[in-house]
Amino acid sequence: MTIEMEVPPAETGPARLPRLLPPVPVRGLRAHDERYGPVRLCGEALIAEVERSGLTGRGGAAFPAGRKLRSVADRAGRRGAVLIANGMESEPLSAKDASLLARAPHLVLDGIALAAEAVGADQAYLCVHRPGQAEELSAAAAERAGRDAVTIALLPDRYVASEASALVNYLNGGPAVPLFTPPRPFERGVRGRPTLVSNVETLANVALISRHGAGWFRSAGAPDAPGSALVTVTGAVRRPGVHEIALGTPLRDVLALAGVSGTSDAQAVLAGGYFGSWLPGRIALGVPASAPGLRAAGASFGAGILMVLPPAGCGLAETARVIRYLAGQSAGQCGPCLHGLPEIATAMERLAFGGGPGRAVRALTELCALVEGRGACHLPGGVARLAASALRVFSDDVRHHQRGPCAGARGRAAFWVPPAGPGERA
Amino acid sequence: MSKQLRVNPILCDAHGVCAELLPELIRLDPWGYPLLAPGTVPPDLEPIARRTVRSCPKLALVLERAGQEQQGNPGSVPK
């Protein structure tokens, strides 16, 4: 997307988007070096520049990237640290990390090398779950022999495998499921060492900040959410896909990139993906696409997923399908998640497809309160938040469903949801 | 230094011993897993809280310095 912005001196970096996502893939190392030029800042100077840039994590939590780099660098000591680049993208709706890794693999690999060096990591991993992706990235990494080294790790494809402690667990020889924290990875991670776990888009931004600096980085985006970000627009849209946007762009303009022309096209928007919250269409369109903007509206930016519910769709039915899928993705380690999520899914299905909600709303509210914050990872809380937002945004539908499921719920699903089988997806 | 209880939900197997020994601070959810009263452990309950921690058959209950789990980086969510 092209957004007019204050134009920084031309030699400091591209004045317009795209920054991260070249329109044509830049696969080879030579083509990459020609397009992006050499890296500039590194080490402590780079950490300070990332702190000044205001870059936040693009994996979902939007934690300040500079502070995270610093916290690992401070702990590295003589034993050294470890870096994990998270390219798992377990949110089934998200395609932005895959797009980035396919179109600018060396930008991510630059970021990995720079961040590893800055925090004192002598070992770096790039975690993905698609075999084809691992092959391509291994070939890209091989091109850099002598420049830097990264191990491409192919992990199982399951929702919770992308959680930071699950990556650490796997690289330590365990299963790719979350650990009990603290200690968190930045305190004690791979082989007991301080471990930086960072999303691949965050690391690509670090590579650009090294080249062009914090001032350039902040020349796009909003003061409270600087820079650009990759979003995946999906659901009932004419042109689903991944776009790079200036953070703070109104959702209306972001959705327009996918062919959404207004509230007549969007009954509601699921912002943040399965780990996010619903927003009514009429409110969503005016909200700035950024972590603070969406938080203020009662949703989240998460990993930049925006799923559009069509006017005739039933939000309760779609939510029920998503929650049944998420319940199947529980690693089964924690009792409240193992038992609670299937019960939440059943209550949601009763509400959406049953002969009248009856006590389902109250049961749902109680169950959500019961599972929140009681797992090793945030999966139960995510499900509770999604269910609560559905009850809030689709409260009229809840009332209409007293007389039985609506036409939308009886009809075909508006969205593809992966099969609800437990564990790994095919 | 005030203390707080925390359950390791991965280890916990719903034996329920903790709720038997320390009903003042621990009750069980519908599936038998412990629900902890919010806040710190009152000083007069600390000795029994310590014994409860030692009695958990899965060693899933910990008594720690209050505020410990809030420290650091929350940046670890599945996405």
Side-chain angles (χ1 to χ4, degrees):
Chain A
M1 178 183 187
T2 317
I3 295 255
E4 290 300 324
M5 62 186 91
E6 263 186 279
V7 182
E11 67 274 16
T12 64
R16 293 170 181 233
L17 304 190
R19 293 173 162 188
L20 295 162
L21 209 57
V24 179
V26 182
R27 289 225 181 82
L29 184 56
R30 185 180 297 178
H32 165 79
D33 285 340
E34 274 167 25
R35 180 182 172 96
Y36 294 97
V39 300
R40 206 165 54 85
L41 294 173
C42 59
E44 164 57 32
L46 177 60
I47 295 180
E49 196 71 5
V50 172
E51 284 177 325
R52 270 193 295 278
S53 74
L55 170 67
T56 56
R58 302 293 197 238
F63 189 80
R67 208 190 307 166
K68 198 161 168 176
L69 286 167
R70 171 93 50 212
S71 69
V72 175
D74 285 349
R75 285 172 172 84
R78 223 177 297 163
R79 289 193 62 202
V82 174
L83 179 138
I84 302 176
N86 191 350
M88 291 289 290
E89 196 157 54
S90 303
E91 263 288 343
L93 300 176
S94 182
K96 61 109 178 162
D97 289 338
S99 299
L100 175 65
L101 289 167
R103 284 205 234 169
H106 286 287
L107 198 59
V108 175
L109 296 174
D110 280 351
I112 291 172
L114 286 163
E117 196 262 340
V119 302
D122 49 20
Q123 191 137 30
Y125 299 90
L126 169 52
C127 296
V128 294
H129 75 249
R130 296 184 184 92
Q133 224 178 6
E135 266 171 48
E136 280 179 31
L137 291 167
S138 296
E143 274 190 272
R144 305 167 68 98
R147 191 193 278 203
D148 48 54
V150 58
T151 305
I152 311 298
L154 181 65
L155 269 71
D157 179 18
R158 68 186 303 166
Y159 194 77
V160 296
S162 64
E163 199 265 350
S165 71
L167 300 176
V168 168
N169 199 356
Y170 182 83
L171 293 173
N172 278 336
V177 295
L179 296 165
F180 181 56
T181 54
R184 295 185 213 284
F186 76 97
E187 297 162 322
R188 198 159 80 217
V190 177
R191 288 183 297 284
R193 302 206 224 158
T195 300
L196 176 75
V197 183
S198 196
N199 173 261
V200 290
E201 185 189 340
T202 316
L203 291 165
N205 274 300
V206 168
L208 291 176
I209 290 168
S210 163
R211 289 174 165 90
H212 309 303
W216 166 83
F217 180 79
R218 298 188 69 93
S219 69
D224 66 349
S228 65
L230 303 181
V231 295
T232 310
V233 188
T234 179
V237 297
R238 275 181 277 279
R239 296 185 302 276
V242 175
H243 301 273
E244 182 173 354
I245 61 156
L247 283 170
T249 305
L251 241 49
R252 178 189 318 281
D253 299 341
V254 179
L255 296 178
L257 298 170
V260 176
S261 58
T263 38
S264 58
D265 284 347
Q267 180 193 162
V269 177
L270 180 61
Y274 292 177
F275 214 69
S277 304
W278 288 103
L279 285 174
R282 62 180 193 290
I283 292 174
L285 294 185
V287 172
S290 68
L294 280 154
R295 199 182 307 126
S300 63
F301 186 78
I305 299 152
L306 299 165
M307 181 168 83
V308 176
L309 180 70
C314 174
L316 298 174
E318 303 303 336
T319 305
R321 292 187 190 99
V322 170
I323 291 181
R324 178 59 70 189
Y325 161 75
L326 290 174
Q329 289 298 308
S330 170
Q333 297 193 107
C334 307
C337 181
L338 175 68
H339 298 283
L341 300 200
E343 288 194 25
I344 292 175
T346 301
M348 201 72 209
E349 284 162 357
R350 204 177 310 138
L351 196 59
F353 308 114
R359 281 194 70 258
V361 172
R362 185 137 161 240
L364 256 177
T365 312
E366 285 169 6
L367 281 166
C368 287
L370 210 49
V371 301
E372 173 99 58
R374 294 186 64 216
C377 75
H378 298 290
L379 180 62
V383 167
R385 196 168 51 230
L386 176 62
S389 80
L391 291 180
R392 198 168 59 238
V393 170
F394 306 115
S395 56
D396 286 351
D397 301 82
V398 171
R399 235 183 353 267
H400 293 147
H401 276 235
Q402 300 284 1
R403 299 188 296 272
C406 66
R410 289 196 310 271
R412 284 183 54 226
F415 309 122
W416 172 82
V417 174
E424 297 174 29
R425 300 198 298 272
Chain B
M1 191 69 76
S2 58
K3 298 283 178 69
Q4 68 186 13
L5 287 165
R6 196 154 65 100
V7 180
N8 178 333
I10 297 176
L11 292 179
C12 177
D13 239 349
H15 287 262
V17 174
C18 54
E20 292 269 348
L21 292 176
L22 193 56
E24 296 89 342
L25 297 179
I26 304 176
R27 60 191 180 90
L28 299 180
D29 72 13
W31 311 292
Y33 295 85
L35 288 160
L36 309 183
T40 55
V41 176
D44 58 316
L45 287 177
E46 255 186 48
I48 179 74
R50 237 180 279 281
R51 278 172 57 197
T52 306
V53 165
R54 280 200 300 270
S55 306
C56 172
K58 301 297 287 190
L59 304 178
L61 194 64
V62 289
L63 187 66
E64 62 189 11
R65 219 173 54 228
Q68 203 157 315
E69 92 286 8
Q70 275 96 17
Q71 286 172 8
N73 171 13
S76 58
V77 291
K79 47 148 183 65

